[in-house]
Amino acid sequence: MSRWAYVNGRYVRHRDAAVHIEDRGYQLADGVYEVVGIRDGRLIDEAPHLDRLGRSLSELRIEWPVGRKALEFILREVLRLNGVRDGLVYIQATRGVARRDHAFPKDPTPALVVTAKHTSRPGIDVPGVRVVSRPDNRWDRCDIKTVGLLPNVLAKQSAREAGAWEAWFLDERGDVTEGASTNAWIVSEAGELITRQTDNGILAGITRATVKTICDSLQLKLVERPFSLAEAKRAREAFLSSATSFVTPIVGIDDTTVGDGKPGPVGRRLREEYLRHAGTGDRVT
Ligand code: PDD
């Protein structure tokens, strides 16, 4: 099946899809994005993802490139054209094309690209991943999901070179903020389920919010507070969350084994419940 993309009003073959060389996303990272997971032909948490897209756009004073209803239609069309049952849909909106100048152009026309990707269908049982800690050298608006991802790119690459899957960012106090592309969670030595509070220092993950609701329904007490790298290394469990990794257990942090080196019961249960949640909602493909 050939791949298709949506680019500024047209559905085009993926290999021919292109934006202008003076798109401000390309030249200045002046744009935002969303990644929505697809499971069994269902968009996972579409509405909160689109709400967050709206917030990111408004924080950067970029207009919606198309109305929300139109975007919902485009997502479905791209998924249908690509026959994606399990995978993700990627949405990128930029301030558009203009002669290069840092300041905003007058009356820009925002640009929109939507692509979709297949992934294998992950199950409940996963072996768990390793993370390494790296300094958080990002800006102070990590709550905006911008395409300006260089610190995340470099941290992720250095994790991969160290044989790990993810990098956990540390602030100047030695507290874990989040991963390069995921939110961070632990079950402390004392059995407290902890994830960092949301503010400008991290992205308010949609998966994080869903897991929070799941915790409520399971009557699992969640504490939203900073936790240090040292506390994480002593934790019973650690895991990460994102639209594409769902809830994934962490079995090692730097050179320290987490718990007994196997996915723990809380992370496993939350993954199971999250996958159950992902299986609700309307099929679109
Ligand atoms: N990343 N923190 C960061 C820095 C992220 O980039 C992401 C998502 C998350 C988790 O957010 P959510 O649960 O809404 O996916 C946290 C996406 C998947 C990406 O960049 O590919």
Side-chain angles (χ1 to χ4, degrees), residues 33 35 49 52 145 178-183 203 205-207 242-243:
Y33 75 105
V35 176
H49 277 285
R52 186 174 64 187
K145 200 163 171 60
E178 63 181 330
S181 65
T182 56
N183 287 119
L203 184 76
I206 304 303
T207 319
S242 79

Side-chain angles (χ1 to χ4, degrees), residues 132 134-135 150-160 166-167 169 180:
V132 290
R134 296 289 181 259
L150 256 190
N152 310 58
V153 166
L154 296 177
K156 187 76 94 174
Q157 179 60 22
S158 106
R160 295 291 160 84
E166 178 61 303
F169 284 125

Side-chain angles (χ1 to χ4, degrees), residues 197-261:
Q197 75 283 359
T198 52
D199 53 26
N200 291 0
I202 67 167
L203 184 76
I206 304 303
T207 319
R208 179 191 178 283
T210 297
V211 172
K212 230 179 109 169
T213 312
I214 292 172
C215 288
D216 283 347
S217 69
L218 296 177
Q219 294 183 331
L220 249 174
K221 187 167 174 301
L222 170 67
V223 184
E224 293 180 77
R225 66 157 172 88
F227 60 87
S228 68
L229 179 65
E231 192 176 9
K233 287 185 176 175
R234 289 193 310 267
R236 290 185 194 171
E237 292 185 41
F239 49 92
L240 52 83
S241 66
S242 79
T244 45
S245 53
F246 310 141
V247 175
T248 296
I250 292 169
V251 293
I253 304 172
D254 294 329
D255 290 327
T256 306
T257 301
V258 175
D260 62 2

Side-chain angles (χ1 to χ4, degrees), residues 96-113:
V97 176
R99 232 172 108 145
R100 187 174 180 279
D101 182 7
H102 289 60
F104 297 173
K106 258 204 186 75
D107 304 321
T109 303
L112 176 65
V113 168

Side-chain angles (χ1 to χ4, degrees), residues 16 49 92 136 204 214 232:
D16 303 324
H49 277 285
Q92 178 170 317
D136 196 338
I214 292 172

